[in-house]
Amino acid sequence: MKTIFCAVYDKATAAYMRPFTMQSIGQATRSFQDECQNENSPIAQHPEDYSLFQIGSFTDHDKLEPMEPKLIARAHEVLALQDKNA
C-alpha cells in the first residue's frame, strides 16, 4: 500500500508544520478542509497563511521517497469554495 506524506505550510512563519500521513490526496484534502472549518484552529483563524502540500510517499516495499513539495490546497480557497457552495 502506498502512503503519502503531507504537511501544512504556514506562510507567516515560513515553516512547515509537523508532517502527517494519509492513504490518498483526497483523504488529505478532506482532513485539511475539516481543519479549515474548525473555528478553534489557527488555520481557520488565518486561512490566508496556510497551504497543504504533499511532501513525499512511502510504499510497504520501498523506502521513503521525498519529493519537491506539491501544492494540494490553500486554506483561503477551500473556505471560499465552501462559502460559494453553501
Side-chain angles (χ1 to χ4, degrees):
M1 172 175 33
K2 187 172 188 174
T3 303
I4 63 166
F5 281 79
C6 296
V8 174
Y9 182 76
D10 178 354
K11 181 172 65 173
T13 62
Y16 285 92
M17 298 169 76
R18 183 175 301 186
F20 60 95
T21 61
M22 290 287 175
Q23 293 178 347
S24 69
I25 296 292
Q27 187 181 37
T29 302
R30 182 177 57 212
S31 177
F32 185 65
Q33 289 170 337
D34 291 346
E35 197 64 23
C36 289
Q37 293 178 336
N38 177 354
E39 294 176 1
N40 298 318
S41 166
I43 295 173
Q45 295 170 8
H46 306 281
E48 65 284 348
D49 290 336
Y50 295 95
S51 299
L52 176 65
F53 286 85
Q54 180 181 0
I55 60 170
S57 63
F58 179 81
T59 60
D60 293 341
H61 305 296
D62 272 337
K63 60 182 180 182
L64 172 64
E65 297 176 19
M67 61 185 280
E68 193 69 31
K70 178 182 175 184
L71 178 65
I72 298 173
R74 292 181 177 95
H76 70 278
E77 293 173 352
V78 167
L79 291 173
L81 183 59
Q82 289 170 348
D83 287 345
K84 182 180 175 185
N85 291 333

